[in-house]
Amino acid sequence: MPTAYNPRDVEEKWYRYWEENKFFHSEVDPSRVPYTIVMPPPNVTGQLHMGHALDNTLQDVLIRWRRMQGYNVLWLPGTDHAGIATQAKVEEQLAREGLSKYDLGREKFLERVWAWKEEYGGRITRQLRRLGASCDWDRERFTMDEGCSAAVREFFLRLYEKGLIYRDYYIVNWCPRCQTVISDIEVEHLEKPGQLYYIKYPAREGGDYLVVATTRPETMLGDVAVAVHPADDRYRHMVGKVLVLPLVGREIPVIADEYVDPSFGTGAVKITPAHDPHDFEVARRHGLPQIKVMNEHAVMDGEAGPYRGLDRWECRKAVLRDLKEQGYLLKVEDYTHAVGHCYRCETVIEPMISRQWFVRMKPLAEPAIAAVKEGRIRFVPERFTKIYLHWMENIRDWCISRQLWWGHRIPVWYCQDCGETMAERETPEKCARCASPRLEQDPDVLDTWFSSGLWPFSTLGWPQKTRDLEYYYPTTVLVTGRDIIFFWVARMITSGLFAMEEVPFKEVFIHGLVLDALGRKMSKSLGNGVDPIEVIESHGADSLRFMLVTGNTPGSDLRFHFERLDGARNFANKIWNASRFVLMNLDGYRPEEAPGPEAYTLADRWILSRYARCVRAVTESLEAYELGEAARAIYDFLWDEFCDWYIELAKPRLYHPREPRDRQLAQHVLARVLKGALELLHPFMPFITEEIWQRLPHRGRTIMLAPWPVYQPELVDEGAEAAMELLMEVTRAIRHIRSEMNVPPGKTATAVLVAEEEGARELLAGWRHYVEGLARCRVELRAACDAPPPQSAHGVARGVKIYVPLAGLIDINREASRLEKELAAVEKELARVKGKLASEAFLTKAAPDVVEKERAKEKDLSARAASLRQRLAVLRG
RNA sequence: GGGCGCGUAGCUCAGUGGGAGAGCGCUUGACUCACAUUCAAGAGGCCGUAGGUUCAAUCCCUACCGCGCCCA
């Protein structure tokens, strides 16, 4: 084995071994309990980014852990067709050839998209394999494969038949660049600096006028009214009067509506129903017309009069110029406000009236609210429940049609002769009403999230009643980022409850975003993304996974620091070398002849006790979704306890055993604890643990399927832990003296240990060789401190006084100041404890064990202080 | 405007109603036969501010300040 761990040598090999042997595969087995996760499907043409790496690492940890626990684990992978994103990529590709999708036509264009999908579709799944994802590739799905498409159609039809889908003219969010409508949640509101323009609208008769304030003056061309608040005394006399719209000359009424905020601007608001969602609602209430002044390219047309042909920003300038010239523009203020942007391309969206398909959400939301309120679905962390409920309780209808070509075509046909609208499961031949064969399918496709909303059951065979569906549904847990709770989690819940009458998953484990080192979101435009594949190549998949899991608290964001990656790699290397040590010293070890517990040394009992606690801590943390805590527990155990103490204590037993049996015993405990720790670590670092586990004595074909270590309370040995703690503290005290007094590491010192207490003295007598080995010294044990050695440095550890004679080496002043410093710290602490114990309230009200603890503390601190003081007195002569 | 999260060592972040933790960085010493991707020792913190609850608050409650996110 090389002295440094090289992930490249092992990762690919083991992944192939696992996959070829179908260790990831799951089959229905009613005799076993299923544990199911459906993978949030990454975009088919995308590539792995850090968000995917985090999301899938977390899933893989849970999956591997539960698999080892014996559950029948299914992790179902797949990809999403990602309508807008994919279509945009192919359009870019065409643009480089000087073509547009219209040059090709719908059919040819779709061929190109499918070809693209074939070419790039496998990229991300190959990358997931490199990450170590142990998902069942035999069940890989795609949101536009045959089964999912059938599910989409069936689902649409069921909603349609229940009257939950309708088509209507409504104000929608239009992206002038993507040339499609997007849903409300796809609009990103960004704070942008802008201006607030105050415009004068004169009354038709007399010199009266109103002043409106607006951030979008160009839309005034489509104004149909000015609204004021009904209770606003300033304007009460104006309500019902008629104003003349500047530049246009249109006569518009002054109306009263509660929607108006009297404190904003002038308290008078222009109403542009065709280009503002709020105005749209106001106009509906008042029966006002809608006047379109802009087309789908955000260029003025319709009733825009002389401004026709200008794009919206040019038009704004022109309108302002004209208003100013004609004396209507009274004031301009700087004003920062939230502007809706397309979440895909960041173009400013344009509210527009358009005929689209919608899902009536209220009836679907009710059971989705109940499911969470009744605890049938639980969010982890819990605080996301509130976010979810708030959104569900204020839900609006979902616009599901998209003016794209790539996606699930809306299964609705229109008769060209009689105008009949037909929603059908199978492509119809003729009109159901007039029998005309002249049918045309709706040109639009469905929102991508419509199909991903069905993911937990469409992938298991729905609408067929399959055994898979019966066995694996509802799935156990969904793991996903907090950014898509509304987009996806909420939709799966409503869809699952509607189609299956059962929740799609019992728990939702939400994680944060991976940010760059400066705390910014990783994005293409900033160029601050870190490629997980590059990281895997430089540091290994295990290191990446470990780094993503540790120091991460559920639901909160995570900054990506290369330093932390180095730390994870160092940990892998540490495990590698600890394992090398164990493996190099296993010759002659016969597991079946291992000595029984009666032969265990103190160190053996101690490490087994610590190991047992570690098993419990890791398991409990995983159960609570505290993955970072679990990882930290193994890290601390392996590095601090197993490597730094146990291995050091095992060395003499292996190199110079007093008896062969002790060597056997050390080998046994080393192998057992290391193997168990590797099993605990396997969900986090699958590759290195498999590589080492295979070399250790083991049963079974893979660590993946090794039984998860079970907490054994009989291994917990508090006596051994306390004893080791004392020996470790004495060791640390001697090391401290050696270091402070500049005793060369090669030089063996003498340590005079004075243990007045019998228990401690016996302990030190029995295990003095631990201290001697670990602190490189010769121990002289005494029962009383009658004559401390002259010219020695002093320390105290748990009632044990330590003197390290340093004839000729000791610097009295230096030693005195060291002891003074220590004494000051001890006295400070002692004062605090004494103060506490002096309080009657504390003694009567605090828990008895707490009081007891404080008393013990006082005793220990007093003894330490006394010893230090005495020593100082001697030094000062 | 409403909601949520965060503010702990120089940096990044864990954590807990009862003696402040880790990693990195820093200082000092060591190529000690698993590992210098290491080992040993050390320095470094009114746990954002002000109140309150409690015998006891970094932790619970309230207000405020600062930062970030979501929704309208």
Side-chain angles (χ1 to χ4, degrees):
Chain A
M1 285 174 86
T3 66
Y5 172 61
N6 185 358
R8 286 160 183 266
D9 296 344
V10 307
E11 294 186 349
E12 205 196 319
K13 171 183 75 181
W14 288 119
Y15 199 89
R16 202 180 321 113
Y17 173 72
W18 297 329
E19 194 175 357
E20 281 171 1
N21 284 283
K22 303 266 181 215
F23 294 149
F24 305 153
H25 185 62
S26 175
E27 283 293 330
V28 171
D29 178 356
S31 72
R32 296 172 66 207
V33 183
Y35 183 91
T36 311
I37 296 180
V38 290
M39 176 190 292
N43 291 352
V44 67
T45 65
Q47 45 187 323
L48 200 74
H49 57 63
M50 270 309 159
H52 294 124
L54 173 64
D55 190 47
N56 288 289
T57 295
L58 297 177
Q59 290 175 72
D60 199 39
V61 170
L62 294 174
I63 283 289
R64 285 180 183 270
W65 164 53
R66 292 297 193 182
R67 191 186 283 121
M68 289 172 78
Q69 278 192 328
Y71 289 87
N72 185 5
V73 163
L74 170 60
W75 187 15
L76 197 153
T79 48
D80 192 307
H81 67 279
I84 299 184
T86 308
Q87 173 155 338
K89 288 230 162 147
V90 177
E91 284 189 74
E92 274 168 34
Q93 193 187 40
L94 285 176
R96 282 195 289 275
E97 298 166 26
L99 293 170
S100 83
K101 66 179 175 194
Y102 302 105
D103 297 328
L104 270 68
R106 186 161 190 149
E107 220 167 291
K108 282 264 180 294
F109 178 76
L110 285 178
E111 280 173 23
R112 284 290 292 256
V113 187
W114 277 106
W116 175 285
K117 189 252 169 193
E118 289 313 314
E119 190 175 347
Y120 293 101
R123 178 172 58 184
I124 196 153
T125 56
R126 283 193 297 277
Q127 292 178 324
L128 283 168
R129 284 175 168 89
R130 296 205 58 186
L131 187 67
S134 65
C135 40
D136 187 351
W137 294 110
D138 296 341
R139 293 174 178 271
E140 182 184 343
R141 297 295 298 270
F142 174 50
T143 52
M144 268 178 45
D145 66 24
E146 212 177 306
C148 288
S149 301
V152 164
R153 234 182 222 210
E154 178 64 28
F155 190 75
F156 185 96
L157 263 294
R158 288 198 192 177
L159 286 174
Y160 189 84
E161 286 158 0
K162 287 221 156 118
L164 294 172
I165 285 188
Y166 63 94
R167 191 185 189 209
D168 196 8
Y169 287 95
Y170 199 77
I171 187 129
V172 292
N173 311 291
W174 183 266
C175 175
R177 201 213 62 88
C178 297
Q179 285 294 297
T180 179
V181 61
I182 57 177
S183 68
D184 293 336
I185 54 173
E186 287 169 305
V187 177
E188 216 175 321
H189 295 273
L190 303 174
E191 291 277 312
K192 292 279 151 122
Q195 276 81 36
L196 193 59
Y197 303 95
Y198 290 77
I199 306 168
K200 179 170 153 184
Y201 284 25
R204 186 176 59 192
E205 17 258 331
D208 231 347
Y209 63 88
L210 274 180
V211 178
V212 301
T214 179
T215 57
R216 301 203 56 196
E218 68 280 10
T219 63
M220 69 174 288
L221 305 173
D223 281 2
V224 298
V226 169
V228 298
H229 194 274
D232 194 334
D233 289 335
R234 295 173 296 177
Y235 302 124
R236 204 186 290 271
H237 68 287
M238 294 295 289
V239 175
K241 292 206 169 150
V242 175
L243 307 172
V244 179
L245 190 60
L247 308 184
V248 181
R250 186 181 305 133
E251 296 191 348
I252 57 174
V254 178
I255 60 170
D257 194 286
E258 306 255 326
Y259 152 72
V260 179
D261 173 6
S263 68
F264 176 81
T266 59
V269 182
K270 62 195 263 321
I271 300 297
T272 321
H275 298 284
D276 182 281
H278 297 292
D279 296 2
F280 179 85
E281 297 292 345
V282 173
R284 263 202 175 177
R285 282 198 286 275
H286 293 268
L288 296 163
Q290 301 153 349
I291 298 177
K292 260 186 105 159
V293 292
M294 225 183 277
N295 67 17
E296 63 273 18
H297 297 285
V299 169
M300 310 311 289
D301 74 350
E303 300 198 26
Y307 302 96
R308 215 172 290 164
L310 295 177
D311 104 320
R312 50 185 168 170
W313 313 122
E314 293 166 3
C315 178
R316 178 176 299 180
K317 280 185 210 157
V319 164
L320 288 170
R321 183 196 60 218
D322 294 348
L323 285 171
K324 201 171 174 187
E325 270 175 14
Q326 297 175 32
Y328 291 112
L329 185 60
L330 302 186
K331 190 164 69 164
V332 182
E333 278 175 359
D334 284 336
Y335 181 67
T336 300
H337 59 136
V339 183
H341 290 69
C342 173
Y343 84 124
R344 276 273 159 228
C345 69
E346 298 230 323
T347 302
V348 174
I349 65 111
E350 194 57 52
M352 256 186 226
I353 290 173
S354 167
R355 194 179 193 190
Q356 302 290 342
W357 287 96
F358 295 87
V359 177
R360 228 179 279 287
M361 290 307 290
K362 278 243 152 50
L364 293 172
E366 275 165 28
I369 291 167
V372 170
K373 281 193 170 165
E374 289 162 14
R376 281 178 286 134
I377 298 176
R378 188 172 78 95
F379 280 85
V380 179
E382 202 268 327
R383 66 188 142 92
F384 290 103
T385 309
K386 215 172 155 181
I387 295 172
Y388 165 87
L389 286 176
H390 179 260
W391 189 73
M392 266 304 177
E393 281 161 0
N394 295 283
I395 199 153
R396 288 189 292 179
D397 286 354
W398 175 17
C399 177
I400 50 169
S401 42
R402 294 291 180 275
Q403 288 64 54
L404 301 173
W405 288 355
W406 175 242
H408 297 282
R409 192 91 175 254
I410 292 176
V412 170
W413 285 261
Y414 308 107
C415 175
Q416 301 301 295
D417 288 322
C418 73
E420 176 74 346
T421 298
M422 299 183 294
E424 300 290 336
R425 286 173 174 82
E426 302 297 334
T427 305
E429 301 280 324
K430 55 188 184 197
C431 173
R433 191 163 71 178
C434 74
S436 161
R438 295 183 56 229
L439 298 176
E440 267 188 28
Q441 188 171 5
D442 193 295
D444 289 352
V445 300
L446 290 163
D447 181 1
T448 302
W449 300 101
F450 192 89
S451 55
S452 21
L454 315 181
W455 193 241
F457 46 98
S458 65
T459 51
L460 292 172
W462 192 87
Q464 319 276 308
K465 283 200 165 117
T466 61
R467 291 181 71 212
D468 280 353
L469 204 53
E470 197 187 330
Y471 181 73
Y472 294 113
Y473 192 94
T475 67
T476 312
V477 57
L478 177 82
V479 181
T480 196
R482 61 170 172 74
D483 50 334
I484 55 172
I485 294 175
F486 305 144
F487 283 99
W488 193 47
V489 179
R491 263 93 186 246
M492 280 191 287
I493 295 174
T494 53
S495 303
L497 287 165
F498 179 77
M500 297 290 299
E501 294 181 356
E502 173 72 277
V503 296
F505 28 73
K506 295 163 203 151
E507 298 192 307
V508 184
F509 179 36
I510 301 284
H511 60 253
L513 275 37
V514 185
L515 308 175
D516 73 0
L518 300 173
R520 302 171 304 181
K521 229 175 129 168
M522 288 188 177
S523 73
K524 266 192 200 134
S525 50
L526 276 172
N528 60 345
V530 179
D531 180 2
I533 297 302
E534 282 178 24
V535 170
I536 288 170
E537 272 161 16
S538 63
H539 288 71
D542 287 331
S543 299
L544 174 61
R545 293 166 59 112
F546 197 80
M547 177 271 191
L548 289 171
V549 165
T550 49
N552 185 9
T553 224
S556 61
D557 294 344
L558 169 90
R559 289 193 196 196
F560 192 98
H561 285 274
F562 281 94
E563 293 84 354
R564 295 197 39 232
L565 200 56
D566 290 339
R569 182 203 51 195
N570 294 353
F571 180 49
N573 198 53
K574 188 72 183 174
I575 296 161
W576 181 253
N577 279 293
S579 304
R580 278 181 63 228
F581 169 79
V582 173
L583 290 166
M584 288 188 306
N585 288 290
L586 281 188
D587 45 298
Y589 170 50
R590 292 180 299 281
E592 63 286 355
E593 292 172 28
E598 68 286 347
Y600 286 170
T601 63
L602 174 61
D604 297 332
R605 283 183 280 127
W606 172 74
I607 197 69
L608 286 166
S609 180
R610 300 304 301 164
Y611 166 70
R613 290 189 196 272
C614 182
V615 169
R616 186 168 63 174
V618 171
T619 307
E620 284 179 357
S621 293
L622 286 172
E623 279 163 359
Y625 289 102
E626 301 276 358
L627 275 60
E629 278 294 286
R632 197 185 51 79
I634 316 168
Y635 180 97
D636 289 347
F637 173 74
L638 270 173
W639 200 313
D640 298 343
E641 301 188 307
F642 186 69
C643 291
D644 288 348
W645 295 94
Y646 187 75
I647 283 184
E648 291 309 316
L649 288 174
K651 280 177 180 173
R653 302 167 68 189
L654 295 166
Y655 298 149
H656 320 288
R658 295 182 191 178
E659 48 174 330
R661 213 167 108 92
D662 193 44
R663 184 178 145 86
Q664 275 279 317
L665 188 53
Q667 288 174 324
H668 175 67
V669 175
L670 281 168
R672 175 176 173 189
V673 172
L674 177 60
K675 178 169 157 292
L678 290 172
E679 286 159 0
L680 291 177
L681 185 60
H682 177 257
F684 303 90
M685 302 183 115
F687 295 108
I688 190 174
T689 51
E690 179 77 287
E691 174 71 19
I692 299 165
W693 188 87
Q694 293 283 351
R695 295 166 187 248
L696 284 168
H698 67 274
R699 281 202 201 119
R701 298 170 69 196
T702 170
I703 191 174
M704 268 189 66
L705 302 176
W708 182 252
V710 177
Y711 170 60
Q712 295 164 277
E714 70 275 14
L715 289 180
V716 172
D717 186 334
E718 289 187 18
E721 290 188 1
M724 268 301 287
E725 200 46 56
L726 184 137
L727 296 173
M728 286 158 80
E729 224 170 276
V730 169
T731 300
R732 278 190 280 256
I734 298 170
R735 283 174 175 172
H736 174 66
I737 290 169
R738 290 185 60 119
S739 175
E740 291 285 301
M741 295 293 117
N742 295 324
V743 179
K747 191 172 169 177
T748 301
T750 298
V752 178
L753 304 184
V754 181
E756 285 164 9
E757 205 235 321
E758 197 185 335
R761 194 163 63 245
E762 278 175 12
L763 181 70
L764 285 164
W767 305 102
R768 63 198 296 162
H769 58 285
Y770 282 13
V771 177
E772 290 178 326
L774 294 167
R776 287 217 168 194
C777 63
R778 195 173 52 77
V779 166
E780 275 178 32
L781 191 57
R782 294 183 194 172
C785 168
D786 36 1
Q791 296 217 11
S792 60
H794 179 54
V796 195
R798 300 214 170 193
V800 178
K801 293 173 190 169
I802 298 155
Y803 301 92
V804 179
L806 293 166
L809 284 174
I810 195 156
D811 176 335
I812 301 289
N813 288 331
R814 187 177 171 151
E815 171 69 358
S817 74
R818 188 180 70 82
L819 294 180
E820 267 164 9
K821 198 170 146 196
E822 199 176 333
L823 180 60
V826 169
E827 278 177 336
K828 190 180 161 198
E829 184 61 19
L830 187 59
R832 203 188 58 78
V833 173
K834 276 189 168 159
K836 229 175 184 180
L837 287 168
S839 154
E840 185 58 31
F842 174 72
L843 295 174
T844 52
K845 294 201 176 175
D849 61 310
V850 172
V851 177
E852 200 38 58
K853 225 172 126 189
E854 292 297 309
R855 288 222 168 92
K857 207 182 292 175
E858 187 200 14
K859 202 178 144 201
D860 180 54
L861 289 167
S862 299
R864 278 177 67 185
S867 184
L868 289 165
R869 249 183 246 115
Q870 187 188 24
R871 189 63 197 161
L872 274 165
V874 171
L875 282 180
R876 290 186 180 121

